[in-house]
Amino acid sequence: MTISLICLPYAGGSAQVYKRWTNRLHPGVRLVPAELAGRGSRMDEPFYADAAEAVRDLLPLVRETALGSDSYALFGHSMGSLLEYEVLHALREEGFPLPAAVFLSGRGAPHNEQKEARRTHLLPDDEFLEEVKRLGGMPDELFRHRELLDMFMPILRADFKLVGEYEHRMRPPLPLRLTILSGKDDGCVKGPLGEWERYATGGCELMLFEGGHFFLHEWESDVVAVINKMLTEAPAPISPVRSVMEDAEQTCNMVSRSGIAARRDGKNAERAVSGCQSDDGGSERSAGHAP
């Protein structure tokens, strides 16, 4: 049995940011890195006007991948998590089977992030670059090469604009279970991560790693090991026909637990299951940033 893992990049990134995972993933997991318009192999295409346009562009890839696989899963980091969340709602609205596993990384619950909507894309160039540099994800050497900056600046601004102008709207919880990944020292994530549990009838499981916003690169082997374990040992997805009340009751009856090692040697990733309440307080590696 093969499961396809569709990965959505963070702002400023392309499909290449996940290519390093290829040799680390379980043989039964097929990597499908999504290429967004305006970068990488799609450099000549115009940027998305907004998140809705990006979702419409991603849906054919998701459908085609799902129909050609025994099962499929979604992973997104930062801006990729935002797009993944909207893709999930679009799939449900059209009645398409939802993925067996969902990984949302480097982003807080939608209502918390909405309160902190960013307008960084409106800053003058110098201030914009300083903010991007402060957020991390771009090596210092990139700032010393103007031709590289000139190439990446439009991508970064377009992605910051997409995230900054995104407006979340409340909808019924998704009929599945969410896995939320975050760096323990990530100052970009807004609000308690446990509040993601209100967005899915199956609640959420928190996976905390050492590191900051780009922990997925800092602890790449640990992150992929967790994904491998969850995909190859994953339980059956929650049935969409179950009532929200049944799932909510089950979620509220779960006992929160923390400190369970998720890394093979049990040192660099911790797991916390979020039930009715959570006590959690809240580029290409060369060209990424916080959104």
Side-chain angles (χ1 to χ4, degrees):
M1 177 176 175
T2 299
I3 182 168
S4 294
L5 177 63
I6 304 170
C7 296
L8 310 184
Y10 45 78
S14 73
Q16 292 296 321
V17 302
Y18 296 110
K19 286 297 179 68
R20 287 168 54 94
W21 289 14
T22 303
N23 295 328
R24 296 185 183 274
L25 285 169
H26 186 279
V29 179
R30 181 172 71 99
L31 180 67
V32 183
E35 189 75 279
L36 303 181
R39 71 211 68 202
S41 62
R42 302 178 65 185
M43 184 70 77
D44 295 334
E45 299 181 31
F47 299 120
Y48 304 120
D50 50 32
E53 183 178 358
V55 169
R56 289 193 295 271
D57 181 57
L58 287 166
L59 283 173
L61 169 67
V62 176
R63 294 192 206 100
E64 180 180 352
T65 300
L67 293 173
S69 310
D70 297 316
S71 184
Y72 79 106
L74 291 177
F75 180 99
H77 182 74
S78 202
M79 181 186 74
S81 288
L82 181 159
L83 296 177
E84 178 183 354
Y85 172 75
E86 289 297 327
V87 163
L88 288 167
H89 277 288
L91 292 171
R92 183 176 69 167
E93 288 169 7
E94 66 180 36
F96 193 86
L98 294 177
V102 171
F103 302 93
L104 295 161
S105 172
R107 188 169 175 83
H111 65 284
N112 289 325
E113 292 285 351
Q114 190 66 35
K115 295 176 185 176
E116 299 287 341
R118 303 179 179 92
R119 293 292 180 266
T120 307
H121 64 283
L122 299 176
L123 294 174
D125 283 355
D126 290 345
E127 294 180 40
F128 177 75
L129 287 175
E130 282 302 312
E131 180 65 10
V132 171
K133 189 174 182 179
R134 183 187 69 81
L135 294 172
M138 294 179 68
D140 291 339
E141 63 208 51
L142 185 61
F143 291 90
R144 295 192 291 268
H145 294 82
R146 190 69 214 185
E147 63 277 12
L148 291 177
L149 279 177
D150 289 342
M151 180 176 68
F152 280 112
M153 278 276 282
I155 300 173
L156 290 167
R157 279 198 181 277
D159 289 351
F160 267 102
K161 177 177 180 292
L162 185 153
V163 174
E165 295 182 350
Y166 167 73
E167 294 190 10
H168 172 254
R169 59 187 179 91
M170 288 302 298
R171 285 152 289 189
L174 293 161
L176 38 70
R177 181 171 179 75
L178 307 176
T179 299
I180 311 301
L181 298 86
S182 180
K184 293 179 181 178
D185 301 320
D186 188 352
C188 301
V189 171
K190 307 303 180 184
L193 287 168
E195 293 188 7
W196 267 109
E197 60 93 15
R198 70 177 69 176
Y199 292 90
T201 59
C204 69
E205 183 170 11
L206 309 182
M207 307 296 295
L208 304 179
F209 295 81
E210 300 294 340
H213 191 62
F214 287 95
F215 70 91
L216 78 166
H217 293 321
E218 298 166 16
W219 299 101
E220 182 179 280
S221 61
D222 300 72
V223 172
V224 177
V226 166
I227 292 172
N228 282 335
K229 182 177 177 62
M230 298 195 73
L231 291 184
T232 57
E233 300 179 9
I238 297 172
S239 169
V241 301
R242 292 177 62 181
S243 72
V244 171
M245 289 304 294
E246 288 176 329
D247 288 307
E249 181 179 0
Q250 178 184 9
T251 301
C252 290
N253 285 335
M254 289 193 298
V255 178
S256 295
R257 54 189 171 89
S258 62
I260 300 176
R263 192 188 181 196
R264 283 166 294 183
D265 63 6
K267 293 180 181 178
N268 291 315
E270 295 178 359
R271 172 181 297 173
V273 177
S274 173
C276 192
Q277 296 181 349
S278 172
D279 59 2
D280 180 78
S283 271
E284 276 127 86
R285 202 187 288 199
S286 65
H289 58 80

